[in-house]
Amino acid sequence: MSSTDTSPSPNGRVPERWYQSWTHVSVDRRSSGYCRVTFDHPPINTITATTVAELAELVGLIEHDPELNVVVFDSANPDFYLAHYDTEHDPARTAALGIGPTGLHAWLDFLVRLSRAPVVTIASIRGRARGAGSEFVLACDMRFASRENTALGQFEVATGVIPGGGPMARLPRLMGRGRALEVLLVGDDLDGPRAEQYGYVNRAIANGELDDEVEAIAARLARFNHEAIARAKSYVDRATLPPDSEFPPALADFFELLGRPAQQAQFARLEELGLNTDSDLERSLGRRVVDSLPDA
Amino acid sequence: MSSTDTSPSPNGRVPERWYQSWTHVSVDRRSSGYCRVTFDHPPINTITATTVAELAELVGLIEHDPELNVVVFDSANPDFYLAHYDTEHDPARTAALGIGPTGLHAWLDFLVRLSRAPVVTIASIRGRARGAGSEFVLACDMRFASRENTALGQFEVATGVIPGGGPMARLPRLMGRGRALEVLLVGDDLDGPRAEQYGYVNRAIANGELDDEVEAIAARLARFNHEAIARAKSYVDRATLPPDSEFPPALADFFELLGRPAQQAQFARLEELGLNTDSDLERSLGRRVVDSLPDA
Amino acid sequence: MSSTDTSPSPNGRVPERWYQSWTHVSVDRRSSGYCRVTFDHPPINTITATTVAELAELVGLIEHDPELNVVVFDSANPDFYLAHYDTEHDPARTAALGIGPTGLHAWLDFLVRLSRAPVVTIASIRGRARGAGSEFVLACDMRFASRENTALGQFEVATGVIPGGGPMARLPRLMGRGRALEVLLVGDDLDGPRAEQYGYVNRAIANGELDDEVEAIAARLARFNHEAIARAKSYVDRATLPPDSEFPPALADFFELLGRPAQQAQFARLEELGLNTDSDLERSLGRRVVDSLPDA
């Protein structure tokens, strides 16, 4: 433990568990108050059962760290922030995630715990974040996006299923019913300026300035009093967070609709077209998802 | 029935009732998934008891059509989308509309059923939509408006009454309390850019591109799985729609306030100035409604 | 009383109490329907116990005036709208304000009564409004701000406390959770364009046009029917106002956190840096508040 004696925490150390090795993320505890988490799961940062398990471990650390004020989530891949969920042809892996401490399915459990964690969570978005990737950024407290290099969307309805991780609850509370229905039902990508206009993100920032601006905000927050941040956020939580009970029915619908033969066939066509790889399909998924429709 | 044998529906036909003749709208079932409804009630597309009765009939068809995904509402008159309500000097006609299946007054019944219908409803707005015309677009799922040729507003308070068709419930949920109070209390028109800025519409689109953009969205939605659209929308409904009970008290207030002698006199002055005709008053109603005030 | 015989009220007079002398505001009843209130408490329009007492008196007049339609609040100081709260080193003065008719602490009592008053309240913002100054404008019905000369913010968290006058309840309902958390937790100033983009204000207006535009809106509203304004607003109130019970816990937290030695020390440093005076600190408080942090 001697190597951590100089770390800036109340008792002189950041808990060792922060320094474990991770698979799909890298974790950089820059100071006692500030942690940066970088998604790094080549080739396109899909979210898999492994990712969810690691994020669940991470949110447990975040929840119980009285020194930590701010966590920034960014991506090692400038073209993909978090592509979307990938079952890896093995639904059993996802099923094995089970339920979390909130009593919700592991993915929902992670998202609701992240949204209530007593720290400021910031998604610094460069590249594509669709489906579960969008659900992740929506569970963060704030979202800043590259003006020139962002694609956000919920493409699920275009594949005959519905999103399972909460965007029907979160999007309309951010941007109103009309724009949320457009995002959810039309299912196309939103670029940076449109995401800013709709309130999907706090702001779109010039790509070359995004990192510096987010860094300045995080460095500022890192110096603040932890208790003030935690309490102020908790009051906003009470006024804004959907009740946990709003999430599970949509996830159950997602699984039910996904199990239909027509949807299994559509996902097989998407894989043939390049889903889960760094393909033209993935780069233009909002536009090209319709190529997988039966009568395409 | 042979003429419909080739129509793209599950059992080979679109129900014949879709092809009835209509008075204030034209209905074009472009495909099994896509219907376009065009308001056409010269000279300025006022909403009358006849319009409400036809819209109620139409929403019944929409609710029970398992093939239909999207309905676009536009106007045959480029200057007026839907002017506002007109009692035609015969309140008995409006009274005769009675209550609908939801137990609400016919106008409210139509609006809440439209908002919950298991299809995507899109208002493609060119020209003026005030009062009940604005209430109609607010009950649609999405609103796209001509950037150069749109006037949206709730002018009722300027006439000494209040809106009866739900905008006090719907507007603040779209744009927040401050901007909703401005729309409702100041009662002036919003042009396309302002409507977009305030979130009154999803987007203002260059007048020459509005039709193509809405058509592209509708054509895309028409190909999607109906059940996915219906379920995704239903979850947004639960998170966003006002409870039905929020609507009737304001409508009762509208009738009460309208019955006052001062308001009857003000509406008489508005008619003298050109209300319900293609007049300068109607073209600039947000600005000119004050010309009917007692001390004008 | 003869001098008021010609005033335009139902019984020929505006109540005399409107013409009392005020300390931190000037009150100009321009007509029976329209009142302008100008904050004037040099050097920077801090809010003190005296201000709260006068505002409480004023809202009582507003609530019971059946002729009044609109109240515009502006500032005599072009650089400061309402700086923030100042206890004047005498917390007993604030404590002595007690509770108001709603059963809430005097400051909360004033804010919730203002928000429900049966008139249109407009904040015409030029200069800085932070902390309680921001809480005041958020309790008004509409906010119009100078595009070039506005700074809005909640700087409390940066000082180790939390806002006590309701912005955790009001801001997210105006601008959504993500942007509200940024305002509340980062605590920096928002300029006019950013305030407009986030929905903090209805609109940012060119500084040279702000007064004329607000005057035109107020003059229009002054002519409308009082009952129509009051009822329309009351329906928006039901759909949008936080329940009164949402406010007191945060105010109690504010007092608790403020009492900590570390926060007392930080406020002492802020005073050394120029708090409550027309200083560079006050002019750039959002940026410079961090200069008071322990490790600065």
Side-chain angles (χ1 to χ4, degrees):
Chain A
M1 303 279 282
S2 61
S3 67
T4 63
D5 280 348
T6 57
S7 69
S9 85
N11 51 10
R13 64 178 72 94
V14 168
E16 278 193 86
R17 292 167 69 213
W18 281 96
Y19 301 104
Q20 69 185 267
S21 60
W22 305 86
T23 308
H24 288 182
V25 297
S26 64
V27 175
D28 177 11
R29 183 68 176 258
R30 297 196 175 180
S31 71
S32 62
Y34 173 21
C35 180
R36 187 168 282 251
V37 178
T38 303
F39 295 113
D40 191 8
H41 177 217
I44 60 168
N45 280 350
T46 55
I47 300 168
T48 70
T50 300
T51 323
V52 176
E54 291 198 317
L55 290 172
E57 168 81 6
L58 187 64
V59 80
L61 295 178
I62 291 170
E63 285 169 331
H64 296 101
D65 192 320
E67 294 275 288
L68 186 62
N69 281 354
V70 56
V71 183
V72 174
F73 294 90
D74 62 9
S75 167
N77 181 338
D79 293 322
F80 290 90
Y81 184 80
L82 280 173
H84 48 68
Y85 200 78
D86 176 9
T87 59
E88 302 172 293
H89 301 110
D90 187 359
R93 287 196 209 174
T94 298
L97 288 168
I99 63 168
T102 60
L104 300 173
H105 178 282
W107 178 236
L108 295 177
D109 177 80
F110 163 67
L111 294 174
V112 303
R113 289 167 65 198
L114 184 72
S115 68
R116 290 197 292 249
V119 303
V120 187
T121 55
I122 301 177
S124 180
I125 306 167
R126 185 177 277 117
R128 294 150 183 87
R130 305 186 185 104
S134 163
E135 292 166 1
F136 170 81
V137 303
L138 290 170
C140 288
D141 295 333
M142 306 173 198
R143 289 153 292 283
F144 300 97
S146 162
R147 182 170 298 282
E148 299 85 2
N149 182 13
T150 290
L152 287 169
Q154 301 282 161
F155 70 110
E156 289 89 339
V157 167
T159 67
V161 301
I162 67 170
M168 282 87 80
R170 296 194 200 277
L171 278 170
R173 289 176 167 97
L174 268 188
M175 61 179 67
R177 171 179 169 87
R179 287 169 171 171
L181 283 170
E182 181 185 348
V183 172
L184 290 161
L185 301 181
V186 179
D188 208 343
D189 294 336
L190 282 80
D191 62 14
R194 177 69 46 81
E196 178 184 65
Q197 179 192 28
Y198 276 27
Y200 209 143
V201 299
N202 287 43
R203 279 186 264 151
I205 298 175
N207 189 63
E209 298 167 18
L210 175 65
D211 297 337
D212 285 351
E213 250 194 80
V214 171
E215 182 64 25
I217 290 171
R220 179 177 163 109
L221 286 163
R223 298 175 60 195
F224 288 177
N225 180 268
H226 178 83
E227 186 70 12
I229 288 174
R231 292 208 201 179
K233 177 173 165 178
S234 76
Y235 287 110
V236 176
D237 289 353
R238 295 179 207 182
T240 64
L241 288 181
D244 284 2
S245 60
E246 211 170 306
F247 298 112
L251 184 61
D253 272 16
F254 163 77
F255 285 122
E256 178 198 333
L257 295 173
L258 183 62
R260 297 183 297 179
Q263 271 49 64
Q264 290 292 309
Q266 190 171 353
F267 270 89
R269 281 192 296 277
L270 282 168
E271 295 213 358
E272 288 163 20
L273 292 168
L275 197 73
N276 299 323
T277 68
D278 189 352
S279 59
D280 182 71
L281 177 83
E282 283 282 5
R283 287 180 174 259
S284 304
L285 189 59
R287 178 173 55 81
R288 290 206 53 202
V289 63
V290 296
D291 296 343
S292 67
L293 287 167
D295 55 347
Chain B
M1 302 278 283
S2 60
S3 68
T4 63
D5 281 347
T6 57
S7 70
S9 87
N11 51 10
R13 65 177 73 93
V14 168
E16 278 192 86
R17 291 167 68 214
W18 281 96
Y19 300 105
Q20 68 185 269
S21 62
W22 304 86
T23 308
H24 289 183
V25 297
S26 65
V27 176
D28 177 11
R29 183 68 177 258
R30 298 197 174 180
S31 72
S32 61
Y34 173 21
C35 179
R36 187 168 281 252
V37 178
T38 303
F39 295 112
D40 191 8
H41 177 216
I44 60 167
N45 281 350
T46 55
I47 300 168
T48 70
T50 301
T51 323
V52 177
E54 291 198 317
L55 289 172
E57 168 82 5
L58 187 64
V59 81
L61 295 178
I62 291 171
E63 285 169 330
H64 295 101
D65 192 320
E67 293 274 288
L68 186 61
N69 281 354
V70 55
V71 183
V72 174
F73 293 90
D74 61 9
S75 167
N77 182 338
D79 293 322
F80 290 89
Y81 183 79
L82 280 173
H84 48 68
Y85 199 78
D86 176 9
T87 59
E88 302 171 293
H89 300 111
D90 187 358
R93 287 196 208 175
T94 298
L97 289 168
I99 63 168
T102 60
L104 300 172
H105 178 282
W107 178 237
L108 294 177
D109 176 80
F110 162 68
L111 294 173
V112 304
R113 288 167 66 199
L114 185 71
S115 68
R116 290 197 293 249
V119 302
V120 187
T121 54
I122 300 177
S124 180
I125 306 167
R126 184 176 277 118
R128 294 150 183 86
R130 304 186 184 104
S134 164
E135 292 165 2
F136 170 81
V137 303
L138 290 170
C140 288
D141 295 333
M142 306 173 198
R143 290 153 291 284
F144 300 97
S146 163
R147 183 170 297 281
E148 298 85 1
N149 181 13
T150 290
L152 286 169
Q154 301 282 162
F155 71 110
E156 288 89 338
V157 167
T159 66
V161 301
I162 67 170
M168 282 87 81
R170 297 194 200 276
L171 277 170
R173 289 176 167 97
L174 268 188
M175 61 178 68
R177 171 180 169 85
R179 287 168 171 171
L181 282 170
E182 182 186 348
V183 171
L184 290 161
L185 301 181
V186 179
D188 208 343
D189 294 336
L190 281 81
D191 62 14
R194 178 67 46 82
E196 177 184 67
Q197 178 191 27
Y198 276 26
Y200 210 145
V201 299
N202 287 43
R203 277 185 265 151
I205 298 174
N207 190 62
E209 298 168 17
L210 175 64
D211 296 336
D212 285 351
E213 249 193 81
V214 171
E215 182 64 24
I217 290 170
R220 179 177 163 109
L221 286 163
R223 298 176 60 196
F224 288 177
N225 180 268
H226 178 82
E227 185 70 12
I229 288 173
R231 293 209 200 178
K233 178 173 165 177
S234 76
Y235 287 109
V236 176
D237 289 352
R238 295 179 207 181
T240 64
L241 288 182
D244 283 1
S245 59
E246 211 170 306
F247 297 112
L251 184 61
D253 273 15
F254 163 77
F255 285 122
E256 177 197 334
L257 296 173
L258 183 62
R260 297 182 296 180
Q263 271 50 64
Q264 290 292 308
Q266 190 171 353
F267 271 89
R269 282 192 294 277
L270 282 169
E271 296 212 358
E272 287 164 20
L273 292 168
L275 196 73
N276 300 322
T277 67
D278 188 353
S279 60
D280 181 70
L281 176 83
E282 284 281 5
R283 287 180 173 260
S284 304
L285 188 60
R287 178 172 54 80
R288 291 207 52 202
V289 63
V290 298
D291 295 343
S292 68
L293 287 166
D295 55 346
Chain C
M1 301 279 284
S2 61
S3 68
T4 63
D5 280 347
T6 57
S7 69
S9 85
N11 51 10
R13 65 178 71 94
V14 168
E16 278 193 86
R17 292 167 68 213
W18 282 95
Y19 301 104
Q20 68 186 268
S21 61
W22 305 85
T23 309
H24 288 182
V25 296
S26 65
V27 176
D28 177 11
R29 183 70 177 257
R30 298 196 174 179
S31 71
S32 62
Y34 173 21
C35 179
R36 186 167 283 250
V37 178
T38 303
F39 295 113
D40 192 8
H41 176 217
I44 60 167
N45 280 351
T46 55
I47 300 168
T48 70
T50 300
T51 324
V52 176
E54 292 198 317
L55 289 172
E57 168 81 5
L58 188 64
V59 80
L61 295 179
I62 290 170
E63 285 170 329
H64 296 101
D65 192 319
E67 292 276 287
L68 186 61
N69 282 354
V70 55
V71 183
V72 173
F73 294 91
D74 62 9
S75 168
N77 182 338
D79 293 322
F80 290 89
Y81 183 79
L82 280 173
H84 48 69
Y85 199 78
D86 176 9
T87 59
E88 303 171 293
H89 300 110
D90 187 357
R93 287 196 209 174
T94 298
L97 289 168
I99 63 169
T102 60
L104 300 173
H105 177 282
W107 178 236
L108 295 178
D109 177 79
F110 162 68
L111 294 173
V112 304
R113 288 167 66 198
L114 184 72
S115 68
R116 291 197 291 249
V119 303
V120 187
T121 54
I122 300 176
S124 180
I125 306 167
R126 185 177 278 118
R128 293 149 184 86
R130 304 186 185 105
S134 163
E135 292 165 2
F136 170 81
V137 303
L138 289 171
C140 288
D141 295 333
M142 307 173 198
R143 288 154 292 285
F144 300 97
S146 163
R147 182 170 298 281
E148 298 85 3
N149 182 13
T150 289
L152 287 169
Q154 300 283 161
F155 71 110
E156 289 89 339
V157 167
T159 67
V161 301
I162 67 170
M168 282 87 80
R170 297 194 200 276
L171 277 170
R173 289 176 166 96
L174 267 188
M175 61 178 69
R177 171 179 168 86
R179 287 169 171 171
L181 283 170
E182 182 185 348
V183 171
L184 289 161
L185 300 181
V186 179
D188 208 344
D189 294 336
L190 281 80
D191 62 13
R194 178 67 47 81
E196 177 185 66
Q197 178 192 29
Y198 276 27
Y200 211 143
V201 298
N202 287 43
R203 277 184 266 152
I205 297 174
N207 189 63
E209 298 168 18
L210 175 65
D211 296 335
D212 285 352
E213 250 193 78
V214 171
E215 182 63 24
I217 290 170
R220 179 178 164 109
L221 285 163
R223 299 174 61 196
F224 289 178
N225 180 268
H226 178 83
E227 185 70 12
I229 288 174
R231 292 208 200 179
K233 177 173 167 178
S234 76
Y235 287 110
V236 176
D237 288 353
R238 295 180 207 182
T240 65
L241 288 181
D244 283 2
S245 60
E246 211 170 306
F247 297 112
L251 184 62
D253 272 16
F254 163 77
F255 286 123
E256 178 198 333
L257 295 174
L258 184 62
R260 297 183 295 180
Q263 271 48 65
Q264 291 292 309
Q266 189 171 353
F267 271 89
R269 282 192 296 277
L270 282 168
E271 296 214 357
E272 289 164 19
L273 292 168
L275 197 73
N276 299 322
T277 68
D278 189 352
S279 60
D280 182 71
L281 177 82
E282 284 282 5
R283 287 180 174 259
S284 304
L285 189 58
R287 177 172 55 81
R288 291 207 52 202
V289 64
V290 296
D291 295 343
S292 68
L293 288 167
D295 56 347

